[in-house]
Amino acid sequence: MAKRTDWGLPHSAITPEEVYLNRRKFMQGTALLAATAVLPNPEYALKDAKLTKPELATSYNNFYEFSLEKGGVKPLAEKWKIPSPWKVEVTGLTDAKRSYTLEELVGLGGPLEERVYRFRCVEAWSMVVPWTGFPLYQLITKLKPKKEAKYVAFTSYANEKEMPNIKAQPHYPWPYTEGLRMDEAMHPLTLMATGLYGKPLPGQNGAPMRLVVPWKYGFKSIKSVVKIEFSAEQPKTLWNQLAPDEYGFYANVNPEVAHPRWSQASERVLDGKLFPTRIKTLKFNGYEKEVAGLYKDLDLKKNY
Ligand SMILES: Nc1nc2c(c(=O)[nH]1)N[C@H]1C(S)=C(S)[C@@H](COP(=O)(O)O)O[C@H]1N2
Ligand SMILES: [Mo]
């Protein structure tokens, strides 16, 4: 039985432990989840990685529209009245330009599946979490962008009343924007997430739909998407406009290229410890085999 959430999506409301057990069972081939439940994709199960505790992943957040403080986001996001129905404008180089409800987009991009991904913030902390979502290429294929469309740009929801940091940081070029090259957007790893730990995305993690690009620094994974635009030119992004020397358009995880203010060679595991475990950062966040080919003609030191 699929659970209907506030947004009418077929998320399963099972606990993280059950998600984990179900994934194990699925991989052992001994049991299948109910036909209508969101199936874990065994190809993206990361069975050697330890899942981050859900309490940590949903309370230590970067969502600057709400607050600059990691712990300040959740209390504000919990008061946020997430618009329902959620509308996303599809625009730019496509004949499928119009406003879509979230359900319509999931209908086009689905079926939903669960994937466990490593997630690495540019600030050198990382987590491993199970996202529910659909691969973005499935949606793009249905929206049929024109040949001239070389990039996909995304915009976040912005509401000054409920997101107090928008006004507190007037020099930020709000709303939050991000973008991908078309081949990056079409890569099978690129996910549009609607859930986390088998539940609908909480506000603080980018409800009701956010991008997840696991081989790039976390800031590329834009939250609470309200606009998707196909364009011929490389789109502007919030971080790139604010601090171009620090945040490039590509933002591929790369231990060999330091951030101007800190090394990217290692990362703190988000484990709640006073002295968090430190691990070596992997090139493309461990997805090198899958994505290195996208950048074979690019100098990654210049195109950081
Ligand atoms: N709209 C919006 N999206 C955003 C951000 C933000 O401030 N606003 N922060 C980014 C950064 S820096 C990171 S690390 C991730 C954090 O996602 P999480 O809170 O789900 O871990 O969201 C990214 N997406
Ligand atoms: Mo980040």
Side-chain angles (χ1 to χ4, degrees):
M1 262 277 292
K3 280 252 179 188
R4 308 291 293 183
T5 70
D6 290 349
W7 308 297
L9 294 177
H11 285 290
S12 63
I14 50 182
T15 65
E17 291 75 13
E18 285 167 331
V19 169
Y20 181 68
L21 287 174
N22 280 332
R23 186 180 314 116
R24 295 248 327 239
K25 277 195 207 146
F26 183 77
M27 291 184 63
Q28 291 160 1
T30 55
L32 279 172
L33 296 175
T36 49
V38 174
L39 289 179
N41 186 334
E43 207 184 319
Y44 304 101
L46 277 192
K47 57 180 182 313
D48 303 330
K50 200 169 163 221
L51 288 186
T52 303
K53 287 205 178 80
E55 313 81 271
L56 293 171
T58 58
S59 65
Y60 185 89
N61 302 102
N62 277 330
F63 201 158
Y64 277 23
E65 290 87 331
F66 286 106
S67 172
L68 301 181
E69 302 287 333
K70 306 253 186 291
V73 174
K74 183 181 175 195
L76 290 165
E78 282 176 345
K79 285 191 252 161
W80 171 32
K81 288 205 178 60
I82 301 164
S84 176
W86 185 265
K87 299 239 176 92
V88 180
E89 190 195 341
V90 172
T91 182
L93 299 167
T94 166
D95 290 329
K97 277 201 269 276
R98 67 174 172 91
S99 169
Y100 293 75
T101 63
L102 180 65
E103 268 185 300
E104 286 179 306
L105 286 188
V106 172
L108 290 171
L112 296 175
E113 54 182 86
E114 188 190 67
R115 296 183 179 190
V116 178
Y117 278 166
R118 282 181 286 273
F119 190 91
R120 167 56 158 90
C121 176
V122 73
E123 300 160 340
W125 56 266
S126 67
M127 60 182 187
V128 178
V129 295
W131 302 104
T132 305
F134 58 84
L136 181 60
Y137 77 84
Q138 291 182 179
L139 175 63
I140 295 180
T141 306
K142 297 273 174 63
L143 297 175
K144 295 198 183 79
K146 299 183 178 164
K147 261 204 329 288
E148 311 87 84
K150 301 288 183 240
Y151 295 89
V152 188
F154 306 89
T155 306
S156 288
Y157 180 80
N159 179 332
E160 287 183 3
K161 288 202 193 90
E162 294 172 291
M163 300 173 151
N165 201 46
I166 292 179
K167 264 201 167 139
Q169 305 293 334
H171 59 291
Y172 279 45
W174 306 110
Y176 196 104
T177 46
E178 260 306 336
L180 295 171
R181 231 168 49 185
M182 185 59 83
D183 58 346
E184 299 175 322
M186 291 295 287
H187 194 280
L189 280 172
T190 304
L191 200 70
M192 264 298 183
T194 56
L196 184 59
Y197 288 98
K199 295 182 184 156
L201 273 181
Q204 63 270 27
N205 295 95
M209 185 178 86
R210 62 93 58 88
L211 189 68
V212 179
V213 193
W215 71 94
K216 292 179 179 283
Y217 291 122
F219 66 86
K220 296 297 287 183
S221 292
I222 183 171
K223 294 177 168 179
S224 306
V225 172
V226 293
K227 187 167 150 190
I228 300 174
E229 177 169 6
F230 297 108
S231 67
E233 314 294 330
Q234 181 176 302
K236 286 183 177 166
T237 71
L238 178 134
W239 287 111
N240 190 237
Q241 291 175 83
L242 203 56
D245 316 338
E246 303 198 2
Y247 309 105
F249 178 80
Y250 284 95
N252 293 315
V253 175
N254 192 342
E256 295 149 28
V257 178
H259 184 277
R261 292 183 279 133
W262 58 84
S263 161
Q264 295 290 25
S266 69
E267 65 205 44
R268 288 175 289 119
V269 176
L270 187 58
D271 56 11
K273 292 182 187 153
L274 191 54
F275 299 100
T277 307
R278 234 180 213 285
I279 58 173
K280 275 194 176 161
T281 290
L282 300 171
K283 199 157 184 183
F284 298 110
N285 201 24
Y287 299 96
E288 182 169 13
K289 191 163 53 72
E290 290 90 337
V291 303
L294 295 175
Y295 309 105
K296 58 184 186 324
D297 301 322
L298 211 63
D299 179 345
L300 295 174
K301 289 217 161 68
K302 282 191 196 131
N303 299 280
Y304 51 84

